[in-house]
Amino acid sequence: MSESPLMQLPEGFRALIVGASGAIGEAFQQALQQDPRCAEVLGLHRQSSIPIDFAQEASIAAAADALKSAGPFHLIINAAGLLHQAQQMPEKQLSQLSYAQMLNNFSVNTLGPALLMRHFTPLLDKQQALMALLSAKVGSIEDNRLGGWYSYRASKAALNMLVKTAAIELRRTQPHTVLVALHPGTVSSALSAPFRGAEIGRPASQAAAEMLTVLGRLTPADSGHFLSYTGEVLPW
Ligand SMILES: NC(=O)c1ccc[n+]([C@@H]2O[C@H](COP(=O)([O-])OP(=O)(O)OC[C@H]3O[C@@H](n4cnc5c(N)ncnc54)[C@H](OP(=O)(O)O)[C@@H]3O)[C@@H](O)[C@H]2O)c1
């Protein structure tokens, strides 16, 4: 990327990607490394030198603490998320629901990102900052036409509520911070692979570039929105 899409951020802005080991997280990190206006981009994941594991609550506060002196950050993106595991494919019907699967989905897609907002919003630059949490259009209650994918849908809908609620608080306490839930569209990755993601998804590099373009257009008035990679405001 020769030109920076994030022109509203200051020259030499600092970025942090959580879930940087995933397809989209890695693509965000690479795009920002090529952004001439980005001074540094740090990537965190479960195996990074400062580890962050959404199944381990204490790891989130510990990571924020370890990064205090590396901030303030102007851009934080959460690209971690969970749709399926070996023995847990998305539920197609009520008879497949279990506490175990719902707890796994909620811990990675909802609880971890919520604590990320708690512990990492204080690391944002008070003059100007963006924080985006990757959600999913299937988390839209209004847009739910097909049913199924109970845990994933519910965990992303709950994430959307937490983002909206936090954005209302930040409007008072950090009025120059923009906080959004962001839908990446279908992207070829390990997460989408069992659902023909490689065939119907876009490359992660393209998705990251499109989402950075959307982020680059945001102002504080957009905080609390649920946005698509196209820039469209999605229904809750
Ligand atoms: N791909 C799509 O079509 C699509 C569509 C809509 C929304 N999304 C959302 O986009 C985000 C990124 O998805 P992706 O396609 O890039 O998936 P991916 O390649 O499977 O990456 C998932 C990321 O989540 C991390 N993760 C999983 N469990 C974790 C935990 N307990 N703690 C911390 N990190 C954990 C993974 O870390 P490890 O490497 O350690 O496993 C990895 O970095 C997700 O939030 C997903 O819901 C994706």
Side-chain angles (χ1 to χ4, degrees), residues 133-146 149 152-154 156-157 159-160 181-186 226-230 232-236:
L133 294 106
L134 293 198
S135 184
K137 196 174 172 184
V138 297
S140 166
I141 293 173
E142 205 173 322
D143 188 64
N144 185 356
R145 291 165 225 286
L146 293 175
W149 292 24
Y152 186 72
R153 281 186 190 277
K156 293 292 193 180
L159 168 68
N160 289 350
L182 193 54
H183 166 59
T186 305
F226 177 24
L227 296 166
S228 174
Y229 67 97
T230 58
E232 180 195 357
V233 176
L234 294 170
W236 298 115

Side-chain angles (χ1 to χ4, degrees), residues 87-228:
Q87 304 303 321
Q88 294 183 349
M89 292 309 278
E91 313 93 333
K92 291 184 175 161
Q93 51 200 50
L94 284 170
S95 62
Q96 295 168 337
L97 263 58
S98 69
Y99 264 32
Q101 184 158 349
M102 288 189 280
L103 285 169
N104 279 336
N105 270 268
F106 270 78
S107 102
V108 182
N109 295 333
T110 316
L111 309 182
L115 275 264
L116 196 69
M117 290 192 287
R118 171 184 168 182
H119 293 294
F120 281 73
T121 50
L123 303 191
L124 290 169
D125 190 294
K126 301 291 177 291
Q127 301 309 314
Q128 205 156 33
L130 299 170
M131 184 165 182
L133 294 106
L134 293 198
S135 184
K137 196 174 172 184
V138 297
S140 166
I141 293 173
E142 205 173 322
D143 188 64
N144 185 356
R145 291 165 225 286
L146 293 175
W149 292 24
Y150 284 82
S151 298
Y152 186 72
R153 281 186 190 277
S155 66
K156 293 292 193 180
L159 168 68
N160 289 350
M161 176 58 94
L162 289 159
V163 169
K164 171 82 182 183
T165 304
I168 290 169
E169 177 178 337
L170 290 178
R171 205 170 290 154
R172 290 193 298 269
T173 56
Q174 292 179 216
H176 303 294
T177 292
V178 181
L179 178 66
V180 292
L182 193 54
H183 166 59
T186 305
V187 179
S188 175
S189 73
L191 182 141
S192 64
F195 313 98
R196 298 185 52 245
E199 291 85 3
I200 62 174
R202 331 191 299 298
S205 54
Q206 182 185 336
E210 288 164 344
M211 287 187 279
L212 289 173
T213 299
V214 170
L215 292 177
R217 293 194 198 117
L218 300 183
T219 71
D222 300 303
S223 198
H225 282 165
F226 177 24
L227 296 166
S228 174

Side-chain angles (χ1 to χ4, degrees), residues 37-58:
R37 299 180 65 256
C38 179
E40 189 173 22
V41 51
L42 302 179
L44 297 191
H45 52 86
R46 289 191 281 189
Q47 315 297 335
S48 48
S49 56
I50 297 171
I52 194 156
D53 185 341
F54 286 166
Q56 305 292 331
E57 180 177 352

